[in-house]
Amino acid sequence: DRSSAASDVYKRQVVDYDLSKLRDRRIPDLRRQLGIVFQDFQLLSDRSVERNLDFVLRATGWNSANKRSDRIIEALEAVGLADKLKFLPHQLSGGEQQRIAIARALLNEPKLILADEPTGNLDPITSEEVMELLHEINGKGTSILMATHDFDLISKFPKRTLMCEDQKVVEVKSKS
Protein backbone atom coordinates (compact mmCIF):
# COMPACT_ATOMS: atom_id res chain seq x y z
CA ASP A 1 0.00 0.00 0.00
CA ARG A 2 1.42 3.31 -1.12
CA SER A 3 0.44 5.35 1.97
CA SER A 4 2.05 2.77 4.22
CA ALA A 5 5.27 2.88 2.18
CA ALA A 6 5.31 6.68 2.32
CA SER A 7 4.70 6.54 6.04
CA ASP A 8 7.64 4.14 6.50
CA VAL A 9 9.96 6.46 4.57
CA TYR A 10 8.76 9.46 6.56
CA LYS A 11 9.53 7.72 9.85
CA ARG A 12 13.13 7.03 8.84
CA GLN A 13 13.94 10.54 7.59
CA VAL A 14 15.69 13.09 9.80
CA VAL A 15 16.83 16.33 8.15
CA ASP A 16 16.97 14.67 4.73
CA TYR A 17 18.94 11.65 5.97
CA ASP A 18 17.41 8.20 5.68
CA LEU A 19 18.43 6.67 9.01
CA SER A 20 17.88 3.12 7.77
CA LYS A 21 20.56 3.66 5.09
CA LEU A 22 22.92 6.00 6.93
CA ARG A 23 26.56 4.93 6.65
CA ASP A 24 28.93 5.52 9.56
CA ARG A 25 31.02 8.00 7.56
CA ARG A 26 27.92 10.21 7.09
CA ILE A 27 27.06 10.43 10.81
CA PRO A 28 29.24 13.55 11.36
CA ASP A 29 27.36 15.25 8.49
CA LEU A 30 24.04 14.42 10.12
CA ARG A 31 25.27 15.66 13.50
CA ARG A 32 26.15 19.05 11.98
CA GLN A 33 22.51 19.37 10.89
CA LEU A 34 21.29 18.86 14.46
CA GLY A 35 21.54 21.17 17.44
CA ILE A 36 21.07 19.75 20.92
CA VAL A 37 19.85 21.67 23.98
CA PHE A 38 19.96 19.79 27.28
CA GLN A 39 17.96 20.48 30.44
CA ASP A 40 21.12 20.79 32.52
CA PHE A 41 23.08 22.86 29.95
CA GLN A 42 26.11 20.50 29.65
CA LEU A 43 28.61 23.36 29.45
CA LEU A 44 32.27 22.61 30.13
CA SER A 45 32.80 24.15 33.57
CA ASP A 46 36.54 24.76 33.17
CA ARG A 47 36.16 26.82 29.97
CA SER A 48 34.88 30.28 29.17
CA VAL A 49 31.77 30.72 27.05
CA GLU A 50 34.03 31.43 24.09
CA ARG A 51 36.09 28.29 24.64
CA ASN A 52 32.93 26.18 25.15
CA LEU A 53 31.64 27.27 21.76
CA ASP A 54 35.04 27.07 20.09
CA PHE A 55 35.33 23.47 21.28
CA VAL A 56 32.18 22.57 19.33
CA LEU A 57 33.30 24.37 16.19
CA ARG A 58 36.69 22.67 16.24
CA ALA A 59 35.02 19.29 16.78
CA THR A 60 32.75 19.87 13.79
CA GLY A 61 35.53 20.75 11.37
CA TRP A 62 35.87 24.54 11.51
CA ASN A 63 39.59 25.05 10.85
CA SER A 64 39.82 28.82 10.53
CA ALA A 65 40.24 30.59 13.88
CA ASN A 66 38.84 33.82 12.38
CA LYS A 67 35.73 32.08 11.05
CA ARG A 68 35.22 30.33 14.40
CA SER A 69 35.53 33.61 16.26
CA ASP A 70 33.07 35.34 13.92
CA ARG A 71 30.59 32.47 14.20
CA ILE A 72 30.80 32.48 18.01
CA ILE A 73 29.97 36.18 18.12
CA GLU A 74 27.05 35.66 15.69
CA ALA A 75 25.62 32.82 17.79
CA LEU A 76 25.99 34.80 21.03
CA GLU A 77 24.36 37.85 19.44
CA ALA A 78 21.45 35.63 18.36
CA VAL A 79 20.78 34.78 22.03
CA GLY A 80 21.57 38.25 23.37
CA LEU A 81 24.77 37.33 25.23
CA ALA A 82 27.69 38.60 23.14
CA ASP A 83 28.95 40.40 26.27
CA LYS A 84 29.45 37.08 28.14
CA LEU A 85 32.27 35.78 25.93
CA LYS A 86 34.91 35.56 28.68
CA PHE A 87 32.64 34.35 31.48
CA LEU A 88 32.85 30.86 32.99
CA PRO A 89 29.58 28.92 33.27
CA HIS A 90 29.41 29.28 37.08
CA GLN A 91 29.49 33.07 36.65
CA LEU A 92 26.23 32.97 34.70
CA SER A 93 22.63 32.61 35.84
CA GLY A 94 20.71 29.47 34.88
CA GLY A 95 18.89 31.37 32.16
CA GLU A 96 22.16 32.69 30.74
CA GLN A 97 23.66 29.20 30.80
CA GLN A 98 20.66 27.88 28.88
CA ARG A 99 20.99 30.71 26.34
CA ILE A 100 24.67 29.75 25.90
CA ALA A 101 23.55 26.15 25.37
CA ILE A 102 21.13 27.40 22.70
CA ALA A 103 23.92 29.43 21.08
CA ARG A 104 26.01 26.24 21.05
CA ALA A 105 23.15 24.43 19.31
CA LEU A 106 22.99 27.20 16.69
CA LEU A 107 26.69 27.21 15.80
CA ASN A 108 26.44 24.98 12.74
CA GLU A 109 23.14 26.53 11.60
CA PRO A 110 21.25 23.26 12.08
CA LYS A 111 18.04 22.36 10.32
CA LEU A 112 16.70 20.80 13.53
CA ILE A 113 17.21 21.53 17.22
CA LEU A 114 16.43 18.76 19.69
CA ALA A 115 15.60 20.29 23.07
CA ASP A 116 15.19 18.05 26.12
CA GLU A 117 13.29 19.94 28.83
CA PRO A 118 15.09 23.20 27.99
CA THR A 119 13.16 25.07 30.69
CA GLY A 120 13.20 22.30 33.30
CA ASN A 121 15.82 23.94 35.55
CA LEU A 122 14.58 27.51 35.14
CA ASP A 123 12.21 29.78 37.01
CA PRO A 124 8.88 30.66 35.28
CA ILE A 125 9.98 34.07 33.96
CA THR A 126 13.27 32.76 32.57
CA SER A 127 11.45 29.73 31.15
CA GLU A 128 9.18 32.02 29.17
CA GLU A 129 12.18 34.03 27.92
CA VAL A 130 13.87 30.84 26.71
CA MET A 131 10.65 29.72 25.01
CA GLU A 132 10.40 33.12 23.30
CA LEU A 133 13.96 32.68 22.04
CA LEU A 134 13.21 29.18 20.72
CA HIS A 135 10.01 30.48 19.12
CA GLU A 136 12.03 33.22 17.40
CA ILE A 137 14.63 30.71 16.16
CA ASN A 138 11.82 28.53 14.83
CA GLY A 139 10.31 31.53 13.06
CA LYS A 140 13.59 31.96 11.16
CA GLY A 141 13.30 28.46 9.72
CA THR A 142 14.93 26.07 12.19
CA SER A 143 12.69 23.20 13.24
CA ILE A 144 12.57 22.50 16.97
CA LEU A 145 11.59 19.20 18.53
CA MET A 146 11.19 19.75 22.24
CA ALA A 147 10.35 17.39 25.06
CA THR A 148 8.62 19.06 28.00
CA HIS A 149 6.11 18.41 30.76
CA ASP A 150 5.14 22.08 31.04
CA PHE A 151 1.81 22.23 29.19
CA ASP A 152 1.04 25.72 30.51
CA LEU A 153 4.23 27.06 28.97
CA ILE A 154 3.79 25.41 25.58
CA SER A 155 0.18 26.59 25.41
CA LYS A 156 1.57 30.16 25.26
CA PHE A 157 3.51 29.26 22.11
CA PRO A 158 1.05 27.37 19.91
CA LYS A 159 2.72 25.04 17.47
CA ARG A 160 2.17 21.44 16.48
CA THR A 161 2.12 19.49 19.73
CA LEU A 162 2.56 15.74 20.10
CA MET A 163 2.09 13.80 23.30
CA CYS A 164 3.12 10.33 24.41
CA GLU A 165 0.03 8.54 25.63
CA ASP A 166 -0.45 4.81 26.20
CA GLN A 167 2.89 4.10 24.49
CA LYS A 168 1.79 5.96 21.35
CA VAL A 169 2.54 9.39 19.97
CA VAL A 170 -0.66 11.37 19.40
CA GLU A 171 -1.23 14.90 18.17
CA VAL A 172 -2.84 17.29 20.61
CA LYS A 173 -5.59 19.25 18.91
CA SER A 174 -5.36 22.98 19.50
CA LYS A 175 -8.25 24.70 21.27
CA SER A 176 -8.61 27.51 18.72
Side-chain angles (χ1 to χ4, degrees), residues 17-91:
Y17 287 82
D18 183 341
L19 298 181
S20 67
K21 297 177 182 175
L22 186 65
R23 298 189 186 279
D24 287 351
R25 63 181 164 74
R26 301 280 296 160
I27 291 172
D29 299 329
L30 170 61
R31 286 183 179 148
R32 281 187 210 91
Q33 297 299 314
L34 302 174
I36 310 285
V37 178
F38 300 97
Q39 177 178 350
D40 58 355
F41 322 127
Q42 295 293 320
L43 298 172
L44 302 170
S45 62
D46 65 334
R47 298 172 193 205
S48 68
V49 166
E50 179 180 31
R51 289 185 58 218
N52 262 277
L53 301 182
D54 191 60
F55 178 84
V56 171
L57 290 175
R58 285 174 178 263
T60 56
W62 289 62
N63 296 320
S64 166
N66 288 337
K67 287 182 180 179
R68 288 195 316 267
S69 180
D70 290 346
R71 185 64 194 134
I72 289 167
I73 296 298
E74 288 171 12
L76 289 173
E77 285 174 348
V79 300
L81 292 177
D83 61 333
K84 302 295 182 181
L85 198 63
K86 302 298 180 189
F87 284 64
L88 292 170
H90 74 272
Q91 296 173 307

Side-chain angles (χ1 to χ4, degrees), residues 3 12-13 20 25 38 45 59 78 82 84 105 137 139 148 154 174 176:
S3 66
R12 296 185 303 221
Q13 293 279 332
S20 67
R25 63 181 164 74
F38 300 97
S45 62
K84 302 295 182 181
I137 291 165
T148 186
I154 60 172
S174 66
S176 50

Side-chain angles (χ1 to χ4, degrees), residues 23-175:
R23 298 189 186 279
D24 287 351
R25 63 181 164 74
R26 301 280 296 160
I27 291 172
D29 299 329
L30 170 61
R31 286 183 179 148
R32 281 187 210 91
Q33 297 299 314
L34 302 174
I36 310 285
V37 178
F38 300 97
Q39 177 178 350
D40 58 355
F41 322 127
Q42 295 293 320
L43 298 172
L44 302 170
S45 62
D46 65 334
R47 298 172 193 205
S48 68
V49 166
E50 179 180 31
R51 289 185 58 218
N52 262 277
L53 301 182
D54 191 60
F55 178 84
V56 171
L57 290 175
R58 285 174 178 263
T60 56
W62 289 62
N63 296 320
S64 166
N66 288 337
K67 287 182 180 179
R68 288 195 316 267
S69 180
D70 290 346
R71 185 64 194 134
I72 289 167
I73 296 298
E74 288 171 12
L76 289 173
E77 285 174 348
V79 300
L81 292 177
D83 61 333
K84 302 295 182 181
L85 198 63
K86 302 298 180 189
F87 284 64
L88 292 170
H90 74 272
Q91 296 173 307
L92 304 170
S93 70
E96 289 171 330
Q97 288 183 58
Q98 192 60 295
R99 284 177 166 300
I100 298 301
I102 292 168
R104 179 184 57 205
L106 292 171
L107 286 171
N108 285 305
E109 299 176 319
K111 293 180 182 178
L112 173 65
I113 290 178
L114 304 173
D116 180 20
E117 294 280 359
T119 62
N121 285 334
L122 305 175
D123 63 82
I125 292 170
T126 306
S127 293
E128 194 158 328
E129 290 171 354
V130 166
M131 285 296 293
E132 286 172 5
L133 175 59
L134 291 171
H135 188 75
E136 181 182 312
I137 291 165
N138 178 247
K140 292 178 181 175
T142 302
S143 296
I144 298 176
L145 180 60
M146 179 176 64
T148 186
H149 292 90
D150 192 339
F151 286 102
D152 291 333
L153 188 60
I154 60 172
S155 70
K156 294 177 184 178
F157 300 90
K159 291 288 182 177
R160 184 173 183 208
T161 303
L162 305 173
M163 182 172 69
C164 294
E165 184 177 88
D166 297 325
Q167 299 181 354
K168 294 180 184 155
V169 177
V170 296
E171 186 161 357
V172 176
K173 303 297 180 201
S174 66
K175 297 177 182 178

